[in-house]
Amino acid sequence: MHMILQPEGWAKPIGYANGVAATGRQVFVGGQVGWNAQCQFETDDFVGQVRQTLMNVVAILAEAGARPEHVTTMTWYFTNKAEYLGNLRGIGQAYREIMGKHFPAMAAMQVVALVEDRAKIEIQATAVIPE
């Protein structure tokens, strides 16, 4: 469906792709945080917020007829790098449960703060639905 761009001789990345080529209808998902459909946080647990954030991304994709495997790129913003790194196993489990074993091109970065004070993670995504 999409072509993973992996230059010859490069070490294979774990949990993401270096690049993705795709053609089709584009879907842009604005930054999602770990609150529910009523804009209420149900947890302050980092992995719990990652799980809810990914479910929010998938819900928006579904509105366009897209699925997780259509995601070509994601940008993750988190407020605490140590908390992110300390929870990689739980993050990976939540990711695979919600997104499957599809790993788009990704960027991840620590930011000083997110607009929603209780948010620990925000994820923005782009998907391409094949024509």
Side-chain angles (χ1 to χ4, degrees):
M1 174 170 16
H2 298 117
M3 183 172 64
I4 301 299
L5 305 175
Q6 178 66 21
E8 187 176 332
W10 283 30
K12 185 176 180 191
I14 298 173
Y16 67 95
N18 286 309
V20 177
T23 57
R25 186 166 58 100
Q26 296 182 352
V27 178
F28 302 94
V29 179
Q32 297 299 302
V33 296
W35 59 20
N36 64 25
Q38 287 72 45
C39 300
Q40 298 171 341
F41 288 93
E42 296 178 4
T43 184
D44 289 316
D45 174 70
F46 190 83
V47 173
Q49 284 199 17
V50 167
R51 179 178 299 282
Q52 182 64 57
T53 301
L54 291 170
M55 290 188 315
N56 294 346
V57 168
V58 170
I60 293 167
L61 291 171
E63 287 297 307
R67 297 184 308 273
E69 61 267 25
H70 295 134
V71 174
T72 56
T73 186
M74 300 178 94
T75 304
W76 294 45
Y77 306 93
F78 40 81
T79 57
N80 186 320
K81 178 182 171 184
E83 191 170 26
Y84 171 81
L85 292 174
N87 284 287
L88 289 177
R89 173 172 267 149
I91 292 166
Q93 180 179 349
Y95 184 93
R96 288 185 303 277
E97 288 173 8
I98 296 162
M99 300 295 291
K101 291 188 177 184
H102 167 70
F103 303 105
M106 291 192 195
M109 66 201 75
Q110 177 176 304
V111 295
V112 172
L114 297 168
V115 171
E116 297 300 327
D117 289 333
R118 249 180 107 179
K120 295 182 173 206
I121 180 88
E122 184 167 334
I123 299 174
Q124 185 176 15
T126 301
V128 179
I129 303 170
E131 297 176 334

